[in-house]
Amino acid sequence: MLLPTLSYLTDVYFGFGSVETLPDLLERFGLSRPLVVTDPDLVAVGILERPGMDDAPVFDGVQTNPTEAQVLDGLARYREAGCDGMVAVGGGSSIDLAKCVGMLVHHPEPFEQYAMRRGGVSRITDRVPPLIAVPTTAGTGSEVGRAALVTLASGDKVGFLSPHLLPVAALCDPELTLSMPPRLTAATGMDAISHCVEAYCSPRYNPVADAIALDGLVRGCGHIATATEQGSDLTSRSEMMMCALEGGLAFQKGLGAVHSLSHPLGGLAGKRLHHGTLNALFLPPVLRFNIDHCVEKMDEMARRLNLQRGADLPGFFEDLNRRLGLPRSLSETGVTAKDLEPLAQKAVNDHCTSTNPRPLGLDACRALYREVL
């Protein structure tokens, strides 16, 4: 009998070679014609030659920061091919897009009505086909998350949230991350670390999630540099995938200002800014902004990382970003002051703002954007 490595929110099959269990899971969930949702780069490297994906219909139109148009294209492919479920193969963009495609299979359009900010949580029912998630990056944790982020046709990047969007299983095989280039390894790793930090600092009460977040933080900070600099190191690749998984498990209790600020930037037309890179940029200034409102938690994170006090954390992450070769400012990514002008209000309205430990207003968002420009 096929047993998951662990079951927390969903079943997780973790470890080198775990992707080979996909055919068994397809049979378990009664999927005879799943749609494989992925991106063109993964198709090019032959990842779909794996068992269970080699003869399945494919939608490979996923791009960084998926859009409403891509969701609708994926839905059309799902219906055209007569599919009965999905396998999402890739980073958070592929998994998030697959969640939204699945939602629309039996939920009428318009798509926007299901967004959290539109009161859509209660509109999402259990009429969603099974989704198996196969992450190929160690970053978002979307494989164990109830949420998806998509940029609407209006240009707003919004969240969709429901337990019915949770994948029925996650195949977390660190082998699939071995070919990630250094810059992507660093950016996705900092995404995972930011999830651990922000989930732990969230004021919601969830000691189980707190413990998971701290464990993920230590794993991530201890192995991200080696995974980036020595991509073939199996231990570091496995530890970073576990960090990403734990970040996804922990942020069930909410995130904070790092994500509130990065989400609107991810929706900028024509920029294709990487979410993890943005989170790495915002993490140090947001920690400085929040420190007086979560002193004990900051001190505990510092202790776990062998630092003297919580006030040392911003400098620690600035040094880590430099070591990883990540951008030191938004300007380095092509963002201008003009781009930022309409974004502060979007950050205030973001679904992550309510769980930032310090109230986040319009002036604060403007100041934080200016600080990283």
Side-chain angles (χ1 to χ4, degrees):
M1 181 179 178
L2 183 65
L3 296 174
T5 308
L6 57 92
S7 185
Y8 180 104
L9 299 178
T10 192
D11 289 345
V12 176
Y13 299 83
F14 188 97
F16 286 94
S18 60
V19 71
E20 303 302 327
T21 64
L22 179 58
D24 294 328
L25 288 175
L26 293 174
E27 181 179 357
R28 172 185 167 187
F29 292 105
L31 300 182
S32 60
R33 192 165 176 77
L35 178 68
V36 176
V37 177
T38 189
D39 64 63
D41 291 337
L42 288 174
V43 172
V45 300
I47 199 166
L48 302 191
E49 297 171 7
R50 296 277 184 166
M53 295 183 278
D54 45 357
D55 59 354
V58 175
F59 175 72
D60 64 354
V62 181
Q63 302 291 331
T64 300
N65 299 313
T67 65
E68 180 176 353
Q70 292 170 32
V71 171
L72 297 178
D73 287 345
L75 177 64
R77 177 64 176 137
Y78 183 98
R79 288 174 170 163
E80 170 192 83
C83 296
D84 55 5
M86 284 176 293
V87 177
V89 184
S93 294
S94 293
I95 299 172
D96 283 7
L97 188 141
K99 291 176 181 178
C100 292
V101 168
M103 178 183 68
L104 288 182
V105 169
H106 298 297
H107 290 72
E109 297 179 45
F111 176 57
E112 182 177 352
Q113 69 177 306
Y114 303 105
M116 293 173 62
R117 281 168 42 191
R118 309 296 192 269
V121 175
S122 62
R123 299 189 183 107
I124 303 173
T125 72
D126 62 359
R127 298 192 67 215
V128 179
L131 166 64
I132 297 172
V134 185
T136 61
T137 64
T140 70
S142 185
E143 65 272 10
V144 291
R146 302 168 296 169
L149 288 170
V150 174
T151 301
L152 299 175
S154 64
D156 289 340
K157 188 171 184 177
V158 297
F160 298 80
L161 178 69
S162 170
H164 305 305
L165 298 183
L166 187 68
V168 295
L171 293 178
C172 298
D173 190 337
E175 181 184 348
L176 301 182
T177 69
L178 290 176
S179 61
M180 278 202 302
R183 183 71 169 264
L184 183 59
T185 298
T188 56
M190 287 304 300
D191 188 18
I193 288 169
S194 73
H195 293 158
C196 295
V197 171
E198 290 216 287
Y200 182 62
C201 292
S202 164
R204 288 180 181 165
Y205 181 73
N206 190 329
V208 174
D210 286 345
I212 292 172
L214 286 173
D215 188 77
L217 174 67
V218 173
R219 291 177 190 268
C221 291
H223 291 275
I224 187 171
T226 302
T228 300
E229 297 163 3
Q230 304 173 36
S232 61
D233 186 272
L234 301 183
T235 298
S236 293
R237 287 297 193 184
S238 181
E239 291 292 281
M240 289 310 301
M241 180 155 272
M242 182 55 74
C243 170
L245 175 65
E246 290 185 305
L249 294 173
F251 72 55
Q252 307 302 315
K253 70 185 286 252
L255 295 169
V258 169
H259 285 76
S260 299
L261 294 162
S262 67
H263 287 157
L265 282 161
L268 286 177
K271 296 291 185 182
R272 294 187 65 181
L273 301 170
H274 191 274
H275 177 65
T277 300
L278 295 173
N279 286 351
L281 272 171
F282 286 119
L283 187 55
V286 166
L287 285 171
R288 291 191 184 97
F289 176 78
N290 285 335
I291 189 167
D292 290 339
H293 292 254
C294 53
V295 174
E296 291 183 3
K297 288 184 175 182
M298 292 276 283
D299 285 343
E300 180 60 21
M301 287 189 290
R303 188 183 70 81
R304 297 293 181 104
L305 297 176
N306 296 315
L307 304 175
Q308 293 296 315
R309 56 200 178 104
D312 296 331
L313 284 169
F316 171 83
F317 285 115
E318 285 172 340
D319 290 342
L320 183 57
N321 287 342
R322 280 194 290 270
R323 179 176 176 182
L324 298 174
L326 291 171
R328 300 186 186 188
S329 68
L330 286 174
S331 299
E332 289 184 41
T333 69
V335 174
T336 67
K338 185 176 181 181
D339 292 326
L340 296 175
E341 288 176 6
L343 301 189
Q345 187 61 58
K346 292 183 177 182
V348 171
N349 296 339
D350 190 84
H351 62 278
C352 293
T353 296
S354 64
T355 46
N356 193 65
R358 178 180 176 180
L360 187 68
L362 191 60
D363 288 342
C365 288
R366 287 173 176 155
L368 287 164
Y369 275 137
R370 285 195 300 269
E371 186 174 346
V372 297
L373 182 59

